[in-house]
């Protein structure tokens, strides 16, 4: 009897103390509230993202085709603009990677790779085709340019700092892969149909990371930590437990990038959003 009464009191107390949770218009990252800043809107499935930080340009690939047949172009948004510009020189541009240090962005399309060089002072930019006859699925930059071909899903590397260099198949990665990245520990991450694998620096062993199996992007932040965008989440790798740790739940996420302060920028089927730490703002009444 006593225990029943005590239980009732406990339940009553906890119900009373339960604060009314306000509905916040934002997203929690590692348990902390972040508000959404809309950087681009009205886009049709902006997929891959990349930033040139010195000129405050956000690049993205997006769909300009019909719902039945995808055609992609590369667009970019300048700081303080929400409307975008399109780089018409890049044929069916889908993949992108950025060498921020050298102010260069690379775009991959159905017929090769292009280099975009920025001149922030005179507001000019130059797009040059640097590789022909390759259909590019995804790209990653670290010292050199790594790219994955379509439809074979083979990984190649290209020494973009030497004129006339030829792409080379990365021998260590025999798998057909969807994404590739190298983090600050020189660990490699690959994804394929089975899911995510980490290849520790100096090792050939593939360690499977449990959890999500469908990935849209792997991106490295300024501290050279790897972040993974799954179907509805952003995760980081827990290298002790060999599993992914979800740090944010984001519905229908595609691309991922980081600004100079490592704020997360992501894309969903229509928008490009930056997440900024903030106090919870109540959703306006509908
Ligand atoms: C963007 O807008 C802010 C505030 O209005 C301003 O301080 C800044 O100079 C602008 N930046 C550019 C690149 O136009
Ligand atoms: C993905 O790669 C892993 C590691 O090499 C391999 O074990 C697995 O069979 C691959 N999955 C597919 C579907 O090829």
């Amino acid at each position: 009897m006593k225990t029943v009464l005590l239980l009732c009191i406990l339940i009553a107390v906890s119900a009373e103390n339960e604060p009314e949770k306000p509905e916040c218009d934002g997203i929690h990252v590692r348990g902390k509230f972040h508000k959404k800043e809309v950087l681009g809107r009205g886009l049709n499935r902006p997929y891959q993202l990349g930033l040139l930080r010195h000129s405050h340009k956000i690049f993205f690939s997006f769909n300009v085709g019909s719902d039945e047949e995808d055609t992609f172009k590369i667009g970019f948004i300048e700081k303080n603009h929400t409307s975008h510009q399109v780089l018409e020189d890049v044929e069916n541009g889908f993949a992108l990677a950025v060498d921020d240090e050298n102010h260069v962005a690379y775009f991959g399309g159905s017929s090769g790779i292009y280099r975009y060089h920025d001149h922030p002072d005179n507001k000019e930019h130059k797009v040059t085709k640097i590789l022909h006859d390759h259909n590019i699925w995804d790209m990653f930059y670290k010292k050199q340019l790594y790219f994955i071909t379509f439809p074979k899903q083979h990984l190649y590397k290209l020494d973009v700092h030497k004129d006339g260099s030829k792409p080379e198949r990365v021998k260590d990665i025999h798998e057909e892969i969807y994404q590739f990245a190298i983090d600050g520990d020189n660990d490699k991450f690959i994804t394929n149909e089975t899911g995510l694998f980490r290849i520790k620096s100096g090792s050939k062993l593939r360690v499977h990371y449990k959890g999500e199996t469908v990935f849209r992007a792997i991106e490295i932040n300024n501290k050279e930590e790897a972040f993974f965008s799954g179907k509805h989440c952003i995760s980081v790798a827990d290298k002790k437990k060999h599993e992914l740790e979800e740090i944010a739940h984001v519905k229908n996420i595609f691309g991922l990038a980081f600004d100079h302060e490592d704020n997360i920028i992501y894309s969903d089927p229509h928008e490009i959003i930056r997440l900024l730490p903030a106090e919870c703002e109540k959703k306006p009444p509908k």
Side-chain angles (χ1 to χ4, degrees), residues 48 94 135-139 147-156 169-170 173-180 190-193 215:
Q48 303 200 355
F94 180 66
N135 194 348
I136 312 296
W137 167 265
D138 200 2
M139 295 200 296
F147 65 89
I148 299 165
T149 54
F150 180 81
K152 285 198 168 153
Q153 310 298 140
H154 287 168
L155 181 69
Y156 288 81
R169 178 97 195 261
V170 178
I173 311 288
H174 58 84
E175 291 93 343
E176 294 178 7
I177 58 170
Y178 298 140
Q179 278 104 9
F180 171 81
I190 56 171
T191 65
N192 66 3
E193 229 173 281
F215 295 91

PDB file of all heavy atoms in Angstrom, residues 48 94 135-139 147-156 169-170 173-180 190-193 215:
ATOM      1  N   GLN A  48      25.813  17.809 -53.697  1.00  0.00           N
ATOM      2  CA  GLN A  48      27.113  17.943 -53.050  1.00  0.00           C
ATOM      3  C   GLN A  48      27.391  19.411 -52.779  1.00  0.00           C
ATOM      4  O   GLN A  48      27.021  20.281 -53.548  1.00  0.00           O
ATOM      5  CB  GLN A  48      28.177  17.335 -53.959  1.00  0.00           C
ATOM      6  CG  GLN A  48      27.855  15.885 -54.285  1.00  0.00           C
ATOM      7  CD  GLN A  48      29.073  15.107 -54.753  1.00  0.00           C
ATOM      8  OE1 GLN A  48      30.156  15.650 -54.928  1.00  0.00           O
ATOM      9  NE2 GLN A  48      28.886  13.820 -54.948  1.00  0.00           N
ATOM     10  N   PHE A  94      28.187  17.072 -61.396  1.00  0.00           N
ATOM     11  CA  PHE A  94      27.562  16.427 -60.237  1.00  0.00           C
ATOM     12  C   PHE A  94      28.469  16.442 -59.013  1.00  0.00           C
ATOM     13  O   PHE A  94      28.040  16.734 -57.907  1.00  0.00           O
ATOM     14  CB  PHE A  94      27.180  14.986 -60.580  1.00  0.00           C
ATOM     15  CG  PHE A  94      26.534  14.264 -59.441  1.00  0.00           C
ATOM     16  CD1 PHE A  94      25.290  14.679 -58.968  1.00  0.00           C
ATOM     17  CD2 PHE A  94      27.149  13.194 -58.824  1.00  0.00           C
ATOM     18  CE1 PHE A  94      24.677  14.029 -57.901  1.00  0.00           C
ATOM     19  CE2 PHE A  94      26.542  12.533 -57.756  1.00  0.00           C
ATOM     20  CZ  PHE A  94      25.304  12.950 -57.301  1.00  0.00           C
ATOM     21  N   ASN A 135      33.595   9.850 -66.615  1.00  0.00           N
ATOM     22  CA  ASN A 135      32.321  10.185 -66.008  1.00  0.00           C
ATOM     23  C   ASN A 135      32.513  10.130 -64.488  1.00  0.00           C
ATOM     24  O   ASN A 135      32.865   9.085 -63.945  1.00  0.00           O
ATOM     25  CB  ASN A 135      31.261   9.183 -66.476  1.00  0.00           C
ATOM     26  CG  ASN A 135      29.853   9.647 -66.162  1.00  0.00           C
ATOM     27  OD1 ASN A 135      29.651  10.600 -65.407  1.00  0.00           O
ATOM     28  ND2 ASN A 135      28.874   8.972 -66.730  1.00  0.00           N
ATOM     29  N   ILE A 136      32.321  11.257 -63.834  1.00  0.00           N
ATOM     30  CA  ILE A 136      32.714  11.375 -62.422  1.00  0.00           C
ATOM     31  C   ILE A 136      31.497  11.261 -61.504  1.00  0.00           C
ATOM     32  O   ILE A 136      30.489  11.951 -61.687  1.00  0.00           O
ATOM     33  CB  ILE A 136      33.413  12.727 -62.145  1.00  0.00           C
ATOM     34  CG1 ILE A 136      34.497  13.007 -63.209  1.00  0.00           C
ATOM     35  CG2 ILE A 136      33.989  12.755 -60.735  1.00  0.00           C
ATOM     36  CD1 ILE A 136      35.647  12.044 -63.232  1.00  0.00           C
ATOM     37  N   TRP A 137      31.655  10.419 -60.499  1.00  0.00           N
ATOM     38  CA  TRP A 137      30.568  10.189 -59.534  1.00  0.00           C
ATOM     39  C   TRP A 137      30.775  11.017 -58.269  1.00  0.00           C
ATOM     40  O   TRP A 137      29.858  11.655 -57.770  1.00  0.00           O
ATOM     41  CB  TRP A 137      30.543   8.695 -59.192  1.00  0.00           C
ATOM     42  CG  TRP A 137      29.717   8.321 -58.018  1.00  0.00           C
ATOM     43  CD1 TRP A 137      30.155   8.155 -56.739  1.00  0.00           C
ATOM     44  CD2 TRP A 137      28.321   8.066 -58.000  1.00  0.00           C
ATOM     45  NE1 TRP A 137      29.110   7.800 -55.934  1.00  0.00           N
ATOM     46  CE2 TRP A 137      27.969   7.741 -56.680  1.00  0.00           C
ATOM     47  CE3 TRP A 137      27.316   8.068 -58.993  1.00  0.00           C
ATOM     48  CZ2 TRP A 137      26.662   7.429 -56.302  1.00  0.00           C
ATOM     49  CZ3 TRP A 137      26.023   7.755 -58.615  1.00  0.00           C
ATOM     50  CH2 TRP A 137      25.709   7.443 -57.290  1.00  0.00           C
ATOM     51  N   ASP A 138      32.009  11.001 -57.734  1.00  0.00           N
ATOM     52  CA  ASP A 138      32.278  11.717 -56.488  1.00  0.00           C
ATOM     53  C   ASP A 138      33.753  12.092 -56.458  1.00  0.00           C
ATOM     54  O   ASP A 138      34.562  11.479 -57.168  1.00  0.00           O
ATOM     55  CB  ASP A 138      31.930  10.829 -55.280  1.00  0.00           C
ATOM     56  CG  ASP A 138      31.718  11.647 -54.001  1.00  0.00           C
ATOM     57  OD1 ASP A 138      31.801  12.892 -54.061  1.00  0.00           O
ATOM     58  OD2 ASP A 138      31.479  11.048 -52.937  1.00  0.00           O
ATOM     59  N   MET A 139      34.101  13.107 -55.658  1.00  0.00           N
ATOM     60  CA  MET A 139      35.494  13.547 -55.585  1.00  0.00           C
ATOM     61  C   MET A 139      35.861  13.899 -54.157  1.00  0.00           C
ATOM     62  O   MET A 139      34.994  14.235 -53.344  1.00  0.00           O
ATOM     63  CB  MET A 139      35.707  14.781 -56.469  1.00  0.00           C
ATOM     64  CG  MET A 139      35.501  14.508 -57.947  1.00  0.00           C
ATOM     65  SD  MET A 139      36.277  15.752 -59.003  1.00  0.00           S
ATOM     66  CE  MET A 139      35.342  17.187 -58.554  1.00  0.00           C
ATOM     67  N   PHE A 147      39.053  10.768 -57.310  1.00  0.00           N
ATOM     68  CA  PHE A 147      37.704  10.742 -57.900  1.00  0.00           C
ATOM     69  C   PHE A 147      37.235   9.314 -58.136  1.00  0.00           C
ATOM     70  O   PHE A 147      38.038   8.391 -58.318  1.00  0.00           O
ATOM     71  CB  PHE A 147      37.630  11.593 -59.171  1.00  0.00           C
ATOM     72  CG  PHE A 147      38.471  11.110 -60.318  1.00  0.00           C
ATOM     73  CD1 PHE A 147      37.966  10.197 -61.245  1.00  0.00           C
ATOM     74  CD2 PHE A 147      39.760  11.604 -60.507  1.00  0.00           C
ATOM     75  CE1 PHE A 147      38.731   9.772 -62.321  1.00  0.00           C
ATOM     76  CE2 PHE A 147      40.530  11.181 -61.585  1.00  0.00           C
ATOM     77  CZ  PHE A 147      40.025  10.260 -62.487  1.00  0.00           C
ATOM     78  N   ILE A 148      35.930   9.161 -58.090  1.00  0.00           N
ATOM     79  CA  ILE A 148      35.293   7.860 -58.302  1.00  0.00           C
ATOM     80  C   ILE A 148      34.544   7.936 -59.627  1.00  0.00           C
ATOM     81  O   ILE A 148      33.820   8.900 -59.875  1.00  0.00           O
ATOM     82  CB  ILE A 148      34.331   7.524 -57.143  1.00  0.00           C
ATOM     83  CG1 ILE A 148      35.093   7.459 -55.816  1.00  0.00           C
ATOM     84  CG2 ILE A 148      33.590   6.212 -57.408  1.00  0.00           C
ATOM     85  CD1 ILE A 148      34.209   7.488 -54.580  1.00  0.00           C
ATOM     86  N   THR A 149      34.759   6.941 -60.470  1.00  0.00           N
ATOM     87  CA  THR A 149      34.141   6.959 -61.797  1.00  0.00           C
ATOM     88  C   THR A 149      32.746   6.333 -61.759  1.00  0.00           C
ATOM     89  O   THR A 149      32.422   5.562 -60.859  1.00  0.00           O
ATOM     90  CB  THR A 149      34.994   6.170 -62.803  1.00  0.00           C
ATOM     91  OG1 THR A 149      35.205   4.858 -62.278  1.00  0.00           O
ATOM     92  CG2 THR A 149      36.328   6.853 -63.047  1.00  0.00           C
ATOM     93  N   PHE A 150      31.955   6.695 -62.737  1.00  0.00           N
ATOM     94  CA  PHE A 150      30.623   6.110 -62.909  1.00  0.00           C
ATOM     95  C   PHE A 150      30.594   5.452 -64.294  1.00  0.00           C
ATOM     96  O   PHE A 150      31.100   6.045 -65.229  1.00  0.00           O
ATOM     97  CB  PHE A 150      29.563   7.213 -62.816  1.00  0.00           C
ATOM     98  CG  PHE A 150      28.172   6.714 -62.986  1.00  0.00           C
ATOM     99  CD1 PHE A 150      27.500   6.129 -61.922  1.00  0.00           C
ATOM    100  CD2 PHE A 150      27.525   6.805 -64.222  1.00  0.00           C
ATOM    101  CE1 PHE A 150      26.211   5.650 -62.072  1.00  0.00           C
ATOM    102  CE2 PHE A 150      26.249   6.328 -64.381  1.00  0.00           C
ATOM    103  CZ  PHE A 150      25.587   5.752 -63.311  1.00  0.00           C
ATOM    104  N   PRO A 151      30.024   4.276 -64.481  1.00  0.00           N
ATOM    105  CA  PRO A 151      29.317   3.452 -63.490  1.00  0.00           C
ATOM    106  C   PRO A 151      30.197   2.417 -62.794  1.00  0.00           C
ATOM    107  O   PRO A 151      29.684   1.632 -61.997  1.00  0.00           O
ATOM    108  CB  PRO A 151      28.269   2.749 -64.352  1.00  0.00           C
ATOM    109  CG  PRO A 151      28.931   2.571 -65.680  1.00  0.00           C
ATOM    110  CD  PRO A 151      29.899   3.717 -65.839  1.00  0.00           C
ATOM    111  N   LYS A 152      31.515   2.396 -63.058  1.00  0.00           N
ATOM    112  CA  LYS A 152      32.353   1.330 -62.478  1.00  0.00           C
ATOM    113  C   LYS A 152      32.627   1.518 -60.995  1.00  0.00           C
ATOM    114  O   LYS A 152      32.985   0.566 -60.304  1.00  0.00           O
ATOM    115  CB  LYS A 152      33.683   1.238 -63.245  1.00  0.00           C
ATOM    116  CG  LYS A 152      33.510   0.566 -64.604  1.00  0.00           C
ATOM    117  CD  LYS A 152      34.835   0.097 -65.149  1.00  0.00           C
ATOM    118  CE  LYS A 152      34.636  -0.822 -66.331  1.00  0.00           C
ATOM    119  NZ  LYS A 152      35.786  -0.780 -67.254  1.00  0.00           N
ATOM    120  N   GLN A 153      32.505   2.741 -60.522  1.00  0.00           N
ATOM    121  CA  GLN A 153      32.731   3.069 -59.101  1.00  0.00           C
ATOM    122  C   GLN A 153      34.164   2.744 -58.657  1.00  0.00           C
ATOM    123  O   GLN A 153      34.395   2.300 -57.554  1.00  0.00           O
ATOM    124  CB  GLN A 153      31.709   2.352 -58.187  1.00  0.00           C
ATOM    125  CG  GLN A 153      30.261   2.502 -58.580  1.00  0.00           C
ATOM    126  CD  GLN A 153      29.733   3.926 -58.559  1.00  0.00           C
ATOM    127  OE1 GLN A 153      28.974   4.312 -59.429  1.00  0.00           O
ATOM    128  NE2 GLN A 153      30.139   4.718 -57.588  1.00  0.00           N
ATOM    129  N   HIS A 154      35.118   2.985 -59.561  1.00  0.00           N
ATOM    130  CA  HIS A 154      36.529   2.781 -59.244  1.00  0.00           C
ATOM    131  C   HIS A 154      37.150   4.084 -58.738  1.00  0.00           C
ATOM    132  O   HIS A 154      36.816   5.159 -59.228  1.00  0.00           O
ATOM    133  CB  HIS A 154      37.305   2.315 -60.481  1.00  0.00           C
ATOM    134  CG  HIS A 154      37.011   0.894 -60.844  1.00  0.00           C
ATOM    135  ND1 HIS A 154      37.416   0.352 -62.053  1.00  0.00           N
ATOM    136  CD2 HIS A 154      36.362  -0.097 -60.185  1.00  0.00           C
ATOM    137  CE1 HIS A 154      37.019  -0.908 -62.105  1.00  0.00           C
ATOM    138  NE2 HIS A 154      36.382  -1.204 -60.999  1.00  0.00           N
ATOM    139  N   LEU A 155      38.080   3.957 -57.791  1.00  0.00           N
ATOM    140  CA  LEU A 155      38.748   5.145 -57.253  1.00  0.00           C
ATOM    141  C   LEU A 155      40.070   5.416 -57.982  1.00  0.00           C
ATOM    142  O   LEU A 155      40.902   4.519 -58.138  1.00  0.00           O
ATOM    143  CB  LEU A 155      39.022   4.962 -55.752  1.00  0.00           C
ATOM    144  CG  LEU A 155      39.692   6.141 -55.053  1.00  0.00           C
ATOM    145  CD1 LEU A 155      38.754   7.340 -54.964  1.00  0.00           C
ATOM    146  CD2 LEU A 155      40.182   5.750 -53.663  1.00  0.00           C
ATOM    147  N   TYR A 156      40.229   6.672 -58.412  1.00  0.00           N
ATOM    148  CA  TYR A 156      41.457   7.130 -59.063  1.00  0.00           C
ATOM    149  C   TYR A 156      42.008   8.310 -58.298  1.00  0.00           C
ATOM    150  O   TYR A 156      41.282   8.968 -57.547  1.00  0.00           O
ATOM    151  CB  TYR A 156      41.176   7.596 -60.499  1.00  0.00           C
ATOM    152  CG  TYR A 156      40.863   6.497 -61.462  1.00  0.00           C
ATOM    153  CD1 TYR A 156      39.586   5.948 -61.519  1.00  0.00           C
ATOM    154  CD2 TYR A 156      41.844   6.005 -62.328  1.00  0.00           C
ATOM    155  CE1 TYR A 156      39.286   4.926 -62.417  1.00  0.00           C
ATOM    156  CE2 TYR A 156      41.552   4.995 -63.225  1.00  0.00           C
ATOM    157  CZ  TYR A 156      40.282   4.464 -63.257  1.00  0.00           C
ATOM    158  OH  TYR A 156      40.001   3.456 -64.149  1.00  0.00           O
ATOM    159  N   ARG A 169      44.745   4.606 -61.039  1.00  0.00           N
ATOM    160  CA  ARG A 169      43.824   3.847 -60.188  1.00  0.00           C
ATOM    161  C   ARG A 169      44.473   3.669 -58.812  1.00  0.00           C
ATOM    162  O   ARG A 169      45.649   3.351 -58.731  1.00  0.00           O
ATOM    163  CB  ARG A 169      43.570   2.480 -60.842  1.00  0.00           C
ATOM    164  CG  ARG A 169      42.672   1.550 -60.065  1.00  0.00           C
ATOM    165  CD  ARG A 169      41.243   1.580 -60.528  1.00  0.00           C
ATOM    166  NE  ARG A 169      40.381   0.958 -59.536  1.00  0.00           N
ATOM    167  CZ  ARG A 169      39.928  -0.289 -59.599  1.00  0.00           C
ATOM    168  NH1 ARG A 169      40.204  -1.034 -60.661  1.00  0.00           N
ATOM    169  NH2 ARG A 169      39.165  -0.779 -58.637  1.00  0.00           N
ATOM    170  N   VAL A 170      43.717   3.917 -57.754  1.00  0.00           N
ATOM    171  CA  VAL A 170      44.245   3.698 -56.402  1.00  0.00           C
ATOM    172  C   VAL A 170      44.225   2.203 -56.123  1.00  0.00           C
ATOM    173  O   VAL A 170      43.165   1.601 -55.980  1.00  0.00           O
ATOM    174  CB  VAL A 170      43.429   4.485 -55.341  1.00  0.00           C
ATOM    175  CG1 VAL A 170      43.956   4.216 -53.932  1.00  0.00           C
ATOM    176  CG2 VAL A 170      43.462   5.983 -55.641  1.00  0.00           C
ATOM    177  N   ILE A 173      42.527   0.370 -53.019  1.00  0.00           N
ATOM    178  CA  ILE A 173      41.064   0.315 -52.902  1.00  0.00           C
ATOM    179  C   ILE A 173      40.534  -0.468 -54.109  1.00  0.00           C
ATOM    180  O   ILE A 173      40.331   0.095 -55.184  1.00  0.00           O
ATOM    181  CB  ILE A 173      40.439   1.735 -52.862  1.00  0.00           C
ATOM    182  CG1 ILE A 173      41.155   2.630 -51.827  1.00  0.00           C
ATOM    183  CG2 ILE A 173      38.929   1.659 -52.592  1.00  0.00           C
ATOM    184  CD1 ILE A 173      40.896   2.319 -50.378  1.00  0.00           C
ATOM    185  N   HIS A 174      40.313  -1.758 -53.911  1.00  0.00           N
ATOM    186  CA  HIS A 174      39.863  -2.609 -55.009  1.00  0.00           C
ATOM    187  C   HIS A 174      38.336  -2.609 -55.122  1.00  0.00           C
ATOM    188  O   HIS A 174      37.777  -3.005 -56.135  1.00  0.00           O
ATOM    189  CB  HIS A 174      40.358  -4.043 -54.784  1.00  0.00           C
ATOM    190  CG  HIS A 174      39.891  -4.615 -53.481  1.00  0.00           C
ATOM    191  ND1 HIS A 174      38.658  -5.196 -53.337  1.00  0.00           N
ATOM    192  CD2 HIS A 174      40.482  -4.646 -52.261  1.00  0.00           C
ATOM    193  CE1 HIS A 174      38.516  -5.568 -52.057  1.00  0.00           C
ATOM    194  NE2 HIS A 174      39.600  -5.253 -51.397  1.00  0.00           N
ATOM    195  N   GLU A 175      37.665  -2.151 -54.057  1.00  0.00           N
ATOM    196  CA  GLU A 175      36.203  -2.221 -54.003  1.00  0.00           C
ATOM    197  C   GLU A 175      35.546  -1.256 -54.991  1.00  0.00           C
ATOM    198  O   GLU A 175      36.147  -0.269 -55.396  1.00  0.00           O
ATOM    199  CB  GLU A 175      35.695  -1.845 -52.594  1.00  0.00           C
ATOM    200  CG  GLU A 175      36.000  -2.832 -51.512  1.00  0.00           C
ATOM    201  CD  GLU A 175      37.302  -2.509 -50.792  1.00  0.00           C
ATOM    202  OE1 GLU A 175      38.111  -1.725 -51.326  1.00  0.00           O
ATOM    203  OE2 GLU A 175      37.512  -3.083 -49.710  1.00  0.00           O
ATOM    204  N   GLU A 176      34.315  -1.560 -55.337  1.00  0.00           N
ATOM    205  CA  GLU A 176      33.482  -0.576 -56.033  1.00  0.00           C
ATOM    206  C   GLU A 176      32.857   0.286 -54.948  1.00  0.00           C
ATOM    207  O   GLU A 176      32.114  -0.219 -54.116  1.00  0.00           O
ATOM    208  CB  GLU A 176      32.389  -1.283 -56.833  1.00  0.00           C
ATOM    209  CG  GLU A 176      32.957  -2.115 -57.955  1.00  0.00           C
ATOM    210  CD  GLU A 176      31.885  -2.871 -58.729  1.00  0.00           C
ATOM    211  OE1 GLU A 176      30.685  -2.653 -58.490  1.00  0.00           O
ATOM    212  OE2 GLU A 176      32.272  -3.695 -59.570  1.00  0.00           O
ATOM    213  N   ILE A 177      33.202   1.578 -54.959  1.00  0.00           N
ATOM    214  CA  ILE A 177      32.780   2.410 -53.825  1.00  0.00           C
ATOM    215  C   ILE A 177      31.921   3.590 -54.263  1.00  0.00           C
ATOM    216  O   ILE A 177      31.914   3.997 -55.426  1.00  0.00           O
ATOM    217  CB  ILE A 177      33.987   2.924 -53.011  1.00  0.00           C
ATOM    218  CG1 ILE A 177      34.951   3.742 -53.888  1.00  0.00           C
ATOM    219  CG2 ILE A 177      34.705   1.764 -52.336  1.00  0.00           C
ATOM    220  CD1 ILE A 177      36.024   4.461 -53.099  1.00  0.00           C
ATOM    221  N   TYR A 178      31.208   4.149 -53.298  1.00  0.00           N
ATOM    222  CA  TYR A 178      30.371   5.335 -53.521  1.00  0.00           C
ATOM    223  C   TYR A 178      31.026   6.605 -52.998  1.00  0.00           C
ATOM    224  O   TYR A 178      30.890   7.665 -53.589  1.00  0.00           O
ATOM    225  CB  TYR A 178      29.016   5.162 -52.833  1.00  0.00           C
ATOM    226  CG  TYR A 178      28.194   4.011 -53.357  1.00  0.00           C
ATOM    227  CD1 TYR A 178      27.465   3.205 -52.491  1.00  0.00           C
ATOM    228  CD2 TYR A 178      28.150   3.735 -54.718  1.00  0.00           C
ATOM    229  CE1 TYR A 178      26.698   2.151 -52.971  1.00  0.00           C
ATOM    230  CE2 TYR A 178      27.393   2.686 -55.202  1.00  0.00           C
ATOM    231  CZ  TYR A 178      26.673   1.889 -54.333  1.00  0.00           C
ATOM    232  OH  TYR A 178      25.926   0.849 -54.798  1.00  0.00           O
ATOM    233  N   GLN A 179      31.697   6.487 -51.829  1.00  0.00           N
ATOM    234  CA  GLN A 179      32.362   7.656 -51.256  1.00  0.00           C
ATOM    235  C   GLN A 179      33.741   7.268 -50.729  1.00  0.00           C
ATOM    236  O   GLN A 179      33.981   6.112 -50.377  1.00  0.00           O
ATOM    237  CB  GLN A 179      31.552   8.241 -50.078  1.00  0.00           C
ATOM    238  CG  GLN A 179      30.407   9.151 -50.483  1.00  0.00           C
ATOM    239  CD  GLN A 179      29.077   8.469 -50.341  1.00  0.00           C
ATOM    240  OE1 GLN A 179      28.980   7.380 -49.787  1.00  0.00           O
ATOM    241  NE2 GLN A 179      28.031   9.088 -50.856  1.00  0.00           N
ATOM    242  N   PHE A 180      34.610   8.282 -50.666  1.00  0.00           N
ATOM    243  CA  PHE A 180      35.973   8.087 -50.173  1.00  0.00           C
ATOM    244  C   PHE A 180      36.419   9.356 -49.464  1.00  0.00           C
ATOM    245  O   PHE A 180      36.139  10.458 -49.931  1.00  0.00           O
ATOM    246  CB  PHE A 180      36.911   7.808 -51.354  1.00  0.00           C
ATOM    247  CG  PHE A 180      38.371   7.791 -50.993  1.00  0.00           C
ATOM    248  CD1 PHE A 180      38.941   6.668 -50.422  1.00  0.00           C
ATOM    249  CD2 PHE A 180      39.176   8.913 -51.211  1.00  0.00           C
ATOM    250  CE1 PHE A 180      40.290   6.651 -50.076  1.00  0.00           C
ATOM    251  CE2 PHE A 180      40.525   8.905 -50.870  1.00  0.00           C
ATOM    252  CZ  PHE A 180      41.082   7.759 -50.309  1.00  0.00           C
ATOM    253  N   ILE A 190      35.674   4.353 -46.659  1.00  0.00           N
ATOM    254  CA  ILE A 190      35.017   4.048 -47.932  1.00  0.00           C
ATOM    255  C   ILE A 190      33.591   3.588 -47.648  1.00  0.00           C
ATOM    256  O   ILE A 190      33.311   3.022 -46.587  1.00  0.00           O
ATOM    257  CB  ILE A 190      35.763   2.954 -48.743  1.00  0.00           C
ATOM    258  CG1 ILE A 190      35.930   1.663 -47.933  1.00  0.00           C
ATOM    259  CG2 ILE A 190      37.114   3.452 -49.233  1.00  0.00           C
ATOM    260  CD1 ILE A 190      36.451   0.474 -48.738  1.00  0.00           C
ATOM    261  N   THR A 191      32.700   3.861 -48.583  1.00  0.00           N
ATOM    262  CA  THR A 191      31.347   3.312 -48.479  1.00  0.00           C
ATOM    263  C   THR A 191      31.055   2.512 -49.738  1.00  0.00           C
ATOM    264  O   THR A 191      31.523   2.857 -50.828  1.00  0.00           O
ATOM    265  CB  THR A 191      30.273   4.404 -48.330  1.00  0.00           C
ATOM    266  OG1 THR A 191      30.238   5.191 -49.515  1.00  0.00           O
ATOM    267  CG2 THR A 191      30.528   5.293 -47.135  1.00  0.00           C
ATOM    268  N   ASN A 192      30.340   1.432 -49.563  1.00  0.00           N
ATOM    269  CA  ASN A 192      29.822   0.669 -50.702  1.00  0.00           C
ATOM    270  C   ASN A 192      28.420   0.181 -50.341  1.00  0.00           C
ATOM    271  O   ASN A 192      27.841   0.652 -49.345  1.00  0.00           O
ATOM    272  CB  ASN A 192      30.778  -0.466 -51.100  1.00  0.00           C
ATOM    273  CG  ASN A 192      30.894  -1.549 -50.031  1.00  0.00           C
ATOM    274  OD1 ASN A 192      30.232  -1.498 -49.007  1.00  0.00           O
ATOM    275  ND2 ASN A 192      31.733  -2.533 -50.302  1.00  0.00           N
ATOM    276  N   GLU A 193      27.915  -0.773 -51.114  1.00  0.00           N
ATOM    277  CA  GLU A 193      26.545  -1.213 -50.887  1.00  0.00           C
ATOM    278  C   GLU A 193      26.342  -1.786 -49.490  1.00  0.00           C
ATOM    279  O   GLU A 193      25.254  -1.710 -48.927  1.00  0.00           O
ATOM    280  CB  GLU A 193      26.192  -2.271 -51.937  1.00  0.00           C
ATOM    281  CG  GLU A 193      24.893  -2.011 -52.630  1.00  0.00           C
ATOM    282  CD  GLU A 193      24.704  -3.006 -53.757  1.00  0.00           C
ATOM    283  OE1 GLU A 193      25.322  -2.769 -54.804  1.00  0.00           O
ATOM    284  OE2 GLU A 193      23.975  -3.983 -53.570  1.00  0.00           O
ATOM    285  N   PHE A 215      24.719   6.352 -47.526  1.00  0.00           N
ATOM    286  CA  PHE A 215      25.396   7.619 -47.276  1.00  0.00           C
ATOM    287  C   PHE A 215      25.284   8.541 -48.478  1.00  0.00           C
ATOM    288  O   PHE A 215      25.329   8.097 -49.616  1.00  0.00           O
ATOM    289  CB  PHE A 215      26.865   7.376 -46.941  1.00  0.00           C
ATOM    290  CG  PHE A 215      27.044   6.616 -45.663  1.00  0.00           C
ATOM    291  CD1 PHE A 215      27.111   5.225 -45.668  1.00  0.00           C
ATOM    292  CD2 PHE A 215      27.098   7.268 -44.446  1.00  0.00           C
ATOM    293  CE1 PHE A 215      27.240   4.515 -44.490  1.00  0.00           C
ATOM    294  CE2 PHE A 215      27.226   6.570 -43.259  1.00  0.00           C
ATOM    295  CZ  PHE A 215      27.296   5.183 -43.282  1.00  0.00           C
TER     296      PHE A 215
END
